[in-house]
Amino acid sequence: MLGDLIGEEQGETTGIRVLSTDGGHPVLEASFAATGTLLGVGIKDMGTYESAVGADGTLYGEGQGVIMAQGGATVTWHGSGVGHFDEAGTVHWRGALFFETAAAAFGRLNGTAAVFEFETEESGKATAKLWEWK
């Protein structure tokens, strides 16, 4: 069951690189940096993901990152998702994240799946929302 909204952030793409164009299916690597909240605590989130563009334009991506929270706690994440472009050039991602942390303030995230909505505008601006998946 979809649970509570546990995080929100705003940021931007910090780099893009082409990894492959084999078979006419480009694979890109993108990195981003964002700020926001997770479980009500201020955070900075940095991540990198690879996305492959399918023949129909659908994107499949996998990524990883680190969240640094106020007070010094860190949380790592791994995730995957699917995306698509709209007519304005925005990429709409939907997927799931999995966390790992030794920080007591974020301990409930260990062993928890979270679902996300991640939007990246053509300009590189990005927003995300994250819900606990119970």
Side-chain angles (χ1 to χ4, degrees), residues 7-9 15 20 34-35 38 43 65 72 75 86-87 92 98 108:
E8 293 186 84
E9 59 186 42
S20 172
T35 58
L38 181 62
I43 60 160
V75 179
D86 69 15
E87 290 140 12
H92 303 273
F98 308 95
R108 79 180 246 206

Side-chain angles (χ1 to χ4, degrees), residues 6-126:
I6 59 171
E8 293 186 84
E9 59 186 42
Q10 302 79 39
E12 63 185 333
T13 302
T14 58
I16 298 175
R17 131 183 127 118
V18 177
L19 299 178
S20 172
T21 59
D22 294 342
H25 299 284
V27 178
L28 305 173
E29 177 186 83
S31 295
F32 70 91
T35 58
T37 60
L38 181 62
L39 299 179
V41 177
I43 60 160
K44 292 182 181 180
D45 184 9
M46 295 173 286
T48 300
Y49 57 92
E50 289 184 21
S51 58
V53 182
D56 66 353
T58 301
L59 300 162
Y60 171 77
E62 293 186 358
Q64 58 193 352
V66 62
I67 295 168
M68 295 182 290
Q70 292 174 342
T74 60
V75 179
T76 60
W77 57 266
H78 289 84
S80 61
V82 295
H84 68 277
F85 291 92
D86 69 15
E87 290 140 12
T90 299
V91 182
H92 303 273
W93 288 97
R94 304 294 182 262
L97 295 180
F98 308 95
F99 302 97
E100 186 174 349
T101 184
F106 296 98
R108 79 180 246 206
L109 296 176
N110 288 323
T112 298
V115 294
F116 65 84
E117 294 179 352
F118 188 86
E119 315 289 341
T120 305
E121 297 175 10
E122 189 175 14
S123 67
K125 299 249 184 250

